Amino acid sequence: MAKILILGETGQVATALRARLSLDEHEVRSVGRRLADLGDPVAAREVVLDFSPDIVVNAAAYTAVDKAESEPDAARAMNVDGPAAAAAAAAEIGAPFIHFSTDYVFDGSGGAPYAESDSTNPLGVYGQTKLDGERVIAAANPRHVILRTAWVCSPTGSNFMKTMLRLAAERDFLGVVSDQHGRPTFAHDLANAVALIIPQLPDSDDDARWGVFHATGQGDTTWYGFASAIMDASRVRGGPATDIRPISTADYPTPSRRPADSRLANDKLDRIYGVRLPEWRESLTICLDEIYGLTGKGHWR
Protein backbone atom coordinates (compact mmCIF):
# COMPACT_ATOMS: atom_id res chain seq x y z
CA MET A 1 0.00 0.00 0.00
CA ALA A 2 1.31 3.43 -0.96
CA LYS A 3 0.44 6.95 0.03
CA ILE A 4 -0.55 8.60 -3.26
CA LEU A 5 -1.27 12.24 -4.00
CA ILE A 6 -3.35 12.94 -7.14
CA LEU A 7 -3.12 16.48 -8.44
CA GLY A 8 -6.53 16.96 -9.99
CA GLU A 9 -9.95 16.28 -8.50
CA THR A 10 -12.91 16.47 -10.88
CA GLY A 11 -11.24 15.79 -14.24
CA GLN A 12 -11.74 12.61 -16.21
CA VAL A 13 -8.41 10.97 -15.40
CA ALA A 14 -8.30 12.16 -11.77
CA THR A 15 -11.78 10.75 -11.13
CA ALA A 16 -10.85 7.39 -12.66
CA LEU A 17 -7.53 7.30 -10.81
CA ARG A 18 -9.14 7.96 -7.44
CA ALA A 19 -11.59 5.10 -7.94
CA ARG A 20 -9.03 2.63 -9.31
CA LEU A 21 -6.17 3.26 -6.89
CA SER A 22 -8.50 3.00 -3.91
CA LEU A 23 -9.32 -0.56 -4.99
CA ASP A 24 -5.72 -1.53 -4.24
CA GLU A 25 -6.13 -0.07 -0.74
CA HIS A 26 -3.67 2.74 -1.32
CA GLU A 27 -4.07 5.85 0.80
CA VAL A 28 -5.25 8.27 -1.87
CA ARG A 29 -5.67 12.02 -1.63
CA SER A 30 -6.98 13.97 -4.61
CA VAL A 31 -6.69 17.76 -4.63
CA GLY A 32 -8.10 20.28 -7.06
CA ARG A 33 -8.13 24.03 -7.42
CA ARG A 34 -10.20 24.63 -4.29
CA LEU A 35 -7.31 23.29 -2.20
CA ALA A 36 -4.27 23.77 -4.42
CA ASP A 37 -4.21 25.48 -7.80
CA LEU A 38 -1.61 23.75 -10.00
CA GLY A 39 -1.22 27.06 -11.80
CA ASP A 40 0.32 28.48 -8.62
CA PRO A 41 3.82 27.01 -8.17
CA VAL A 42 3.90 27.88 -4.47
CA ALA A 43 0.60 26.10 -3.83
CA ALA A 44 1.66 23.13 -5.96
CA ARG A 45 4.86 22.78 -3.96
CA GLU A 46 3.17 23.16 -0.60
CA VAL A 47 0.48 20.55 -1.18
CA VAL A 48 3.13 17.96 -2.07
CA LEU A 49 5.27 18.74 0.95
CA ASP A 50 2.27 18.89 3.32
CA PHE A 51 0.91 15.48 2.33
CA SER A 52 4.38 13.94 1.93
CA PRO A 53 3.23 11.13 -0.38
CA ASP A 54 5.14 8.09 -1.59
CA ILE A 55 4.02 8.85 -5.17
CA VAL A 56 2.63 11.95 -6.90
CA VAL A 57 0.34 11.58 -9.93
CA ASN A 58 -0.38 14.77 -11.84
CA ALA A 59 -3.73 14.49 -13.62
CA ALA A 60 -4.38 18.26 -13.72
CA ALA A 61 -3.69 20.36 -16.81
CA TYR A 62 -4.83 23.24 -18.96
CA THR A 63 -6.49 21.33 -21.81
CA ALA A 64 -8.49 24.01 -23.68
CA VAL A 65 -6.56 23.63 -26.95
CA ASP A 66 -8.09 26.59 -28.79
CA LYS A 67 -8.42 28.89 -25.80
CA ALA A 68 -4.72 28.41 -25.04
CA GLU A 69 -3.92 30.45 -28.16
CA SER A 70 -5.35 33.55 -26.45
CA GLU A 71 -4.33 32.51 -22.91
CA PRO A 72 -0.71 31.38 -23.25
CA ASP A 73 0.25 32.54 -19.76
CA ALA A 74 -2.55 30.58 -18.11
CA ALA A 75 -1.68 27.49 -20.15
CA ARG A 76 1.99 27.81 -19.21
CA ALA A 77 1.21 28.23 -15.53
CA MET A 78 -0.87 25.04 -15.43
CA ASN A 79 1.19 22.93 -17.83
CA VAL A 80 4.73 24.06 -17.04
CA ASP A 81 5.25 26.14 -13.89
CA GLY A 82 2.98 24.25 -11.51
CA PRO A 83 4.08 20.75 -12.59
CA ALA A 84 7.74 21.80 -12.33
CA ALA A 85 7.24 22.95 -8.75
CA ALA A 86 5.29 19.82 -7.81
CA ALA A 87 7.87 17.53 -9.42
CA ALA A 88 10.71 19.29 -7.62
CA ALA A 89 8.89 19.01 -4.29
CA ALA A 90 8.31 15.31 -4.95
CA ALA A 91 12.03 14.90 -5.63
CA GLU A 92 12.86 16.54 -2.29
CA ILE A 93 10.92 13.88 -0.40
CA GLY A 94 12.03 11.02 -2.66
CA ALA A 95 8.66 10.51 -4.36
CA PRO A 96 8.32 9.46 -8.03
CA PHE A 97 6.25 11.76 -10.24
CA ILE A 98 3.75 10.35 -12.75
CA HIS A 99 2.48 12.90 -15.25
CA PHE A 100 0.13 12.91 -18.26
CA SER A 101 1.12 14.59 -21.51
CA THR A 102 -0.32 14.63 -25.01
CA ASP A 103 -0.03 13.52 -28.63
CA TYR A 104 -0.12 17.23 -29.53
CA VAL A 105 3.63 17.48 -28.87
CA PHE A 106 3.92 16.14 -32.46
CA ASP A 107 3.01 17.97 -35.67
CA GLY A 108 1.33 14.94 -37.27
CA SER A 109 3.46 14.88 -40.42
CA GLY A 110 5.27 11.60 -39.72
CA GLY A 111 2.90 9.30 -41.57
CA ALA A 112 3.26 6.51 -38.99
CA PRO A 113 2.63 6.06 -35.26
CA TYR A 114 5.11 8.12 -33.27
CA ALA A 115 7.66 6.50 -30.97
CA GLU A 116 8.80 8.24 -27.80
CA SER A 117 12.16 9.02 -29.40
CA ASP A 118 10.70 10.77 -32.46
CA SER A 119 11.24 14.49 -32.92
CA THR A 120 8.57 16.74 -31.42
CA ASN A 121 7.16 19.84 -33.07
CA PRO A 122 3.97 21.22 -31.48
CA LEU A 123 1.64 23.21 -33.70
CA GLY A 124 0.06 25.35 -30.99
CA VAL A 125 0.38 26.82 -27.51
CA TYR A 126 -1.25 23.84 -25.81
CA GLY A 127 1.13 21.31 -27.34
CA GLN A 128 4.16 23.53 -26.71
CA THR A 129 3.31 24.03 -23.04
CA LYS A 130 2.77 20.30 -22.58
CA LEU A 131 6.15 19.60 -24.18
CA ASP A 132 7.82 22.24 -22.02
CA GLY A 133 6.13 20.62 -19.03
CA GLU A 134 7.68 17.27 -19.90
CA ARG A 135 11.12 18.85 -20.04
CA VAL A 136 10.94 20.74 -16.75
CA ILE A 137 9.53 17.70 -14.94
CA ALA A 138 12.38 15.52 -16.23
CA ALA A 139 14.89 18.12 -15.07
CA ALA A 140 13.27 18.55 -11.65
CA ASN A 141 12.73 14.89 -10.77
CA PRO A 142 14.76 12.06 -12.39
CA ARG A 143 12.23 9.54 -11.07
CA HIS A 144 9.43 10.43 -13.47
CA VAL A 145 6.99 8.54 -15.68
CA ILE A 146 5.44 10.76 -18.33
CA LEU A 147 2.49 9.16 -20.12
CA ARG A 148 1.61 10.76 -23.44
CA THR A 149 -1.99 9.98 -24.29
CA ALA A 150 -4.66 11.16 -26.72
CA TRP A 151 -8.37 11.73 -27.36
CA VAL A 152 -9.35 10.94 -23.75
CA CYS A 153 -12.99 10.12 -22.96
CA SER A 154 -14.94 8.88 -19.95
CA PRO A 155 -18.46 8.96 -18.48
CA THR A 156 -17.45 12.05 -16.46
CA GLY A 157 -16.28 15.51 -17.42
CA SER A 158 -16.29 17.12 -20.84
CA ASN A 159 -15.03 15.14 -23.81
CA PHE A 160 -15.63 14.36 -27.48
CA MET A 161 -17.81 11.32 -26.82
CA LYS A 162 -20.18 13.18 -24.51
CA THR A 163 -20.31 16.15 -26.88
CA MET A 164 -21.31 13.84 -29.75
CA LEU A 165 -24.05 12.25 -27.64
CA ARG A 166 -25.39 15.64 -26.59
CA LEU A 167 -25.41 17.02 -30.13
CA ALA A 168 -26.95 13.81 -31.49
CA ALA A 169 -30.04 14.53 -29.42
CA GLU A 170 -30.29 18.02 -30.89
CA ARG A 171 -29.39 17.76 -34.59
CA ASP A 172 -30.35 15.78 -37.69
CA PHE A 173 -26.71 15.32 -38.68
CA LEU A 174 -23.20 16.23 -37.56
CA GLY A 175 -20.19 17.09 -39.71
CA VAL A 176 -17.03 15.60 -38.20
CA VAL A 177 -13.44 15.93 -39.40
CA SER A 178 -12.27 12.85 -41.30
CA ASP A 179 -8.64 13.74 -42.08
CA GLN A 180 -7.18 13.79 -38.56
CA HIS A 181 -5.97 10.38 -37.40
CA GLY A 182 -5.41 9.18 -33.85
CA ARG A 183 -6.06 6.57 -31.18
CA PRO A 184 -8.91 7.19 -28.71
CA THR A 185 -8.17 6.47 -25.07
CA PHE A 186 -10.48 5.99 -22.10
CA ALA A 187 -9.76 7.37 -18.65
CA HIS A 188 -10.45 4.10 -16.85
CA ASP A 189 -7.81 2.38 -19.02
CA LEU A 190 -5.27 5.05 -18.13
CA ALA A 191 -6.10 4.63 -14.44
CA ASN A 192 -5.68 0.90 -14.75
CA ALA A 193 -2.31 1.42 -16.45
CA VAL A 194 -1.11 3.62 -13.59
CA ALA A 195 -2.25 1.02 -11.07
CA LEU A 196 -0.16 -1.58 -12.90
CA ILE A 197 2.87 0.71 -13.17
CA ILE A 198 3.01 1.77 -9.52
CA PRO A 199 4.14 -1.58 -8.03
CA GLN A 200 6.93 -1.74 -10.62
CA LEU A 201 8.47 1.67 -9.91
CA PRO A 202 12.16 1.17 -9.11
CA ASP A 203 13.97 2.53 -6.07
CA SER A 204 16.90 3.91 -8.08
CA ASP A 205 16.75 6.85 -10.47
CA ASP A 206 19.07 4.99 -12.84
CA ASP A 207 16.58 2.70 -14.53
CA ALA A 208 14.93 2.29 -17.95
CA ARG A 209 11.53 2.45 -16.30
CA TRP A 210 11.83 6.22 -15.87
CA GLY A 211 11.11 8.53 -18.79
CA VAL A 212 8.45 9.14 -21.44
CA PHE A 213 5.97 6.46 -22.50
CA HIS A 214 3.02 6.43 -24.90
CA ALA A 215 -0.30 5.20 -23.55
CA THR A 216 -3.30 5.15 -25.87
CA GLY A 217 -6.04 2.75 -26.81
CA GLN A 218 -5.25 0.19 -29.49
CA GLY A 219 -6.56 0.72 -33.00
CA ASP A 220 -6.49 3.64 -35.43
CA THR A 221 -9.34 5.88 -36.49
CA THR A 222 -10.30 9.46 -37.34
CA TRP A 223 -12.58 11.83 -35.50
CA TYR A 224 -15.22 10.90 -38.09
CA GLY A 225 -14.65 7.19 -37.49
CA PHE A 226 -14.75 7.70 -33.73
CA ALA A 227 -17.99 9.69 -33.95
CA SER A 228 -19.58 7.05 -36.18
CA ALA A 229 -18.67 4.30 -33.71
CA ILE A 230 -20.14 6.35 -30.86
CA MET A 231 -23.41 6.72 -32.76
CA ASP A 232 -23.55 3.00 -33.59
CA ALA A 233 -22.89 1.97 -30.00
CA SER A 234 -25.35 4.51 -28.61
CA ARG A 235 -28.09 3.51 -31.05
CA VAL A 236 -28.07 -0.16 -30.03
CA ARG A 237 -28.35 0.91 -26.38
CA GLY A 238 -31.38 3.09 -27.03
CA GLY A 239 -29.38 6.30 -26.68
CA PRO A 240 -29.26 9.35 -28.96
CA ALA A 241 -27.83 8.89 -32.44
CA THR A 242 -27.70 10.92 -35.61
CA ASP A 243 -26.15 10.87 -39.05
CA ILE A 244 -22.39 11.55 -39.13
CA ARG A 245 -20.99 13.16 -42.26
CA PRO A 246 -17.28 13.51 -43.07
CA ILE A 247 -15.75 16.96 -43.47
CA SER A 248 -12.18 18.14 -43.91
CA THR A 249 -10.05 20.10 -41.46
CA ALA A 250 -10.29 23.04 -43.88
CA ASP A 251 -14.08 22.92 -43.50
CA TYR A 252 -13.78 23.33 -39.72
CA PRO A 253 -11.13 25.98 -38.98
CA THR A 254 -10.06 26.40 -35.34
CA PRO A 255 -7.76 28.90 -33.58
CA SER A 256 -5.18 26.17 -32.96
CA ARG A 257 -3.88 23.85 -35.67
CA ARG A 258 -4.30 20.11 -35.01
CA PRO A 259 -1.87 17.38 -36.09
CA ALA A 260 -3.16 15.42 -39.08
CA ASP A 261 -1.80 12.10 -37.79
CA SER A 262 -0.96 11.95 -34.09
CA ARG A 263 -1.10 8.17 -33.59
CA LEU A 264 1.21 7.05 -30.80
CA ALA A 265 3.09 3.74 -30.77
CA ASN A 266 2.64 1.95 -27.44
CA ASP A 267 5.39 -0.70 -27.73
CA LYS A 268 7.69 0.80 -25.09
CA LEU A 269 5.07 0.80 -22.33
CA ASP A 270 4.28 -2.84 -23.10
CA ARG A 271 7.96 -3.81 -23.26
CA ILE A 272 9.07 -2.05 -20.06
CA TYR A 273 5.99 -2.36 -17.84
CA GLY A 274 3.95 -5.09 -19.53
CA VAL A 275 1.05 -2.65 -19.89
CA ARG A 276 -1.04 -2.49 -23.06
CA LEU A 277 -4.30 -0.56 -23.11
CA PRO A 278 -7.35 -2.29 -24.64
CA GLU A 279 -8.72 -1.71 -28.12
CA TRP A 280 -10.64 1.55 -28.04
CA ARG A 281 -13.90 0.10 -29.39
CA GLU A 282 -14.01 -2.34 -26.49
CA SER A 283 -13.56 0.46 -23.99
CA LEU A 284 -16.18 2.58 -25.76
CA THR A 285 -18.82 -0.10 -25.19
CA ILE A 286 -17.89 -0.36 -21.50
CA CYS A 287 -18.05 3.42 -21.15
CA LEU A 288 -21.48 3.68 -22.79
CA ASP A 289 -22.80 0.78 -20.72
CA GLU A 290 -21.88 2.78 -17.64
CA ILE A 291 -23.46 5.96 -18.97
CA TYR A 292 -26.72 4.14 -19.75
CA GLY A 293 -26.68 2.12 -16.52
CA LEU A 294 -26.41 -1.22 -18.30
CA THR A 295 -23.70 -2.67 -16.08
CA GLY A 296 -23.12 -2.80 -12.37
CA LYS A 297 -19.66 -4.34 -12.64
CA GLY A 298 -17.67 -1.20 -13.41
CA HIS A 299 -14.75 -1.10 -15.80
CA TRP A 300 -11.90 -2.68 -13.85
CA ARG A 301 -10.87 -5.96 -15.33
Side-chain angles (χ1 to χ4, degrees), residues 160-232:
F160 179 79
M161 178 191 68
K162 292 181 68 178
T163 297
M164 290 296 100
L165 294 174
R166 175 177 57 81
L167 293 177
E170 302 171 356
R171 302 183 186 179
D172 294 331
F173 71 91
L174 297 172
V176 181
V177 170
S178 63
D179 55 0
Q180 293 177 20
H181 301 258
R183 292 179 168 173
T185 313
F186 287 80
H188 63 266
D189 292 328
L190 289 172
N192 206 43
V194 170
L196 294 172
I197 289 169
I198 283 174
Q200 303 182 59
L201 294 177
D203 295 328
S204 169
D205 60 7
D206 183 18
D207 194 285
R209 283 171 286 181
W210 304 121
V212 176
F213 300 84
H214 291 169
T216 63
Q218 304 304 313
D220 303 340
T221 191
T222 63
W223 289 114
Y224 166 75
F226 191 19
S228 298
I230 292 167
M231 293 301 110
D232 291 344

